[in-house]
Amino acid sequence: MPARCLPPALEAFAAAHLGQGLRARFCGWDHAESSVWVLEASGRRAFLKAYHQPRKFRQEERAYRAYLPGLQKWVPELIAVCEAPAALLLGARPGALVQSAALTPDEEASLYRQAGAFLRALHAQPLVEHDPMPLAEALRRRAQAWCERAHGLVEAELVDWVRAQAAEAAGLARAAAIPRVPTHGDFTPRNWLVSGGALYVIDFEHAKADLWLTDVLKLWCTAWWARPDLARSFFVGYGRSLTALEEALVARLAALHALSTVVWARAHADVAFESQGRTLLARLRGDRFC
């Protein structure tokens, strides 16, 4: 469980930028990947995000400094960076989380169009990081790591099937020579805010140079199964649809995503999330590849 009281060092850091009379309320998740507080001082509202993993701190900082300055209508303002302890002070955007908002079908369609437009703009930003490892090899290593961690949690035969799907994905990525682009890394409605019909995007701790399809993968695995109309709205905003090769690649990447969901959820004692991963594994194997 993350510490819910704002540490004195972070309180002083925030007060230096927001003013005195600081009030803090913990509003993060219980998975302890990071700690988040909503702050108010001198009539100003902001969020402070403290990181327990240096890699995620650097990824989110790089996203705000390198990729998001031209996308300010969609994202919070970066107010300040604290190096020790690692934290970002971010401006508050209005609105409620999309995943818990009561929306009409037209409002949903509009938000998914905006989500597509945001991703297209993000993916078009020039890369400031360059991974020398070929993308296909990175996919292979990623699959190997998750499959090893799944030992004892998922049936060996199913793990082998996921490994085979990942190998096919690596082959498709190699054949298509798809380049890396700046990605959000966790692009789902739980990281979207809506206010007055406008979409705002938060939580860039997973942002990195990657295959652009990783940013549609979670939507493909969840909302789009039951609501293909939302996929159509998204791709109107993105400016194009998936090619047949890209559709095949996403379907195979989904198998690895489902397995990693099970492993991550078990490590974090998230029973509901683990169930989602297992359901997705069963659905993919039964509906897509048999």
Side-chain angles (χ1 to χ4, degrees):
M1 294 284 289
R4 292 176 179 268
C5 294
L6 186 61
L10 290 179
E11 183 176 5
F13 162 72
H17 293 278
L18 299 179
Q20 298 303 311
L22 189 73
R23 299 187 302 278
R25 176 175 57 83
F26 182 82
C27 61
W29 302 91
D30 289 333
H31 54 47
E33 296 286 328
S34 59
S35 298
V36 182
W37 293 267
V38 58
L39 309 177
E40 293 186 8
S42 304
R44 190 177 184 185
R45 192 164 179 261
F47 285 87
L48 182 69
K49 185 172 183 179
Y51 301 81
H52 308 302
Q53 298 182 27
R55 174 177 57 84
K56 292 186 176 181
F57 168 57
R58 289 303 175 198
Q59 286 177 167
E60 189 145 18
E61 180 196 20
R62 180 171 55 237
Y64 273 100
R65 291 193 186 279
Y67 302 134
L68 302 180
L71 310 179
Q72 293 176 355
K73 71 175 183 178
W74 281 299
V75 300
E77 171 195 6
L78 175 62
I79 298 173
V81 177
C82 182
E83 291 288 340
L88 297 182
L89 185 61
L90 302 168
R93 282 296 197 175
L97 287 175
V98 169
Q99 70 169 8
S100 58
L103 302 170
T104 68
D106 286 346
E107 289 170 336
E108 288 181 301
S110 173
L111 286 174
Y112 273 80
R113 283 194 297 273
Q114 292 177 65
F118 167 78
L119 269 193
R120 187 60 180 264
L122 174 62
H123 294 166
Q125 298 301 303
L127 273 180
V128 299
E129 52 175 328
H130 297 279
D131 191 336
M133 183 181 296
L135 187 55
E137 176 62 14
L139 287 173
R140 187 194 68 78
R141 294 192 185 191
R142 190 181 307 171
Q144 182 63 28
W146 283 113
C147 287
E148 288 177 359
R149 291 179 63 183
H151 179 71
L153 296 180
V154 177
E155 298 87 341
E157 187 269 340
L158 191 52
V159 173
D160 288 342
W161 174 79
V162 171
R163 186 180 286 109
Q165 296 304 313
E168 289 187 21
L172 290 170
R174 186 183 302 108
I178 303 175
R180 287 181 172 93
V181 298
T183 63
H184 180 281
D186 191 18
F187 200 65
T188 71
R190 86 172 194 170
N191 288 323
W192 304 351
L193 301 175
V194 57
S195 176
L199 174 76
Y200 303 103
V201 182
I202 60 173
D203 195 0
F204 289 85
E205 67 181 35
H206 298 280
K208 62 180 180 179
D210 206 346
L211 182 70
W212 78 270
L213 296 170
T214 60
D215 272 342
V216 303
L217 179 60
K218 292 183 179 181
L219 298 173
W220 189 93
C221 290
T222 54
W224 295 352
W225 280 89
R227 295 285 305 278
D229 59 303
L230 296 180
R232 290 191 291 272
S233 294
F234 173 90
F235 285 113
V236 167
Y238 197 81
R240 74 172 183 87
S241 299
L242 296 175
T243 65
L245 185 148
E246 289 168 341
E247 181 75 29
L249 182 51
V250 170
R252 284 153 180 80
L253 289 173
L256 181 58
H257 168 64
L259 183 74
S260 65
T261 296
V262 172
V263 174
W264 187 95
R266 178 64 66 91
H268 292 79
D270 192 329
V271 176
F273 199 43
E274 180 177 343
S275 177
Q276 290 178 26
R278 292 186 183 278
T279 298
L280 179 58
L281 274 174
R283 180 187 295 160
L284 287 167
R285 185 129 195 234
D287 291 355
R288 293 283 171 171
F289 300 115
C290 289

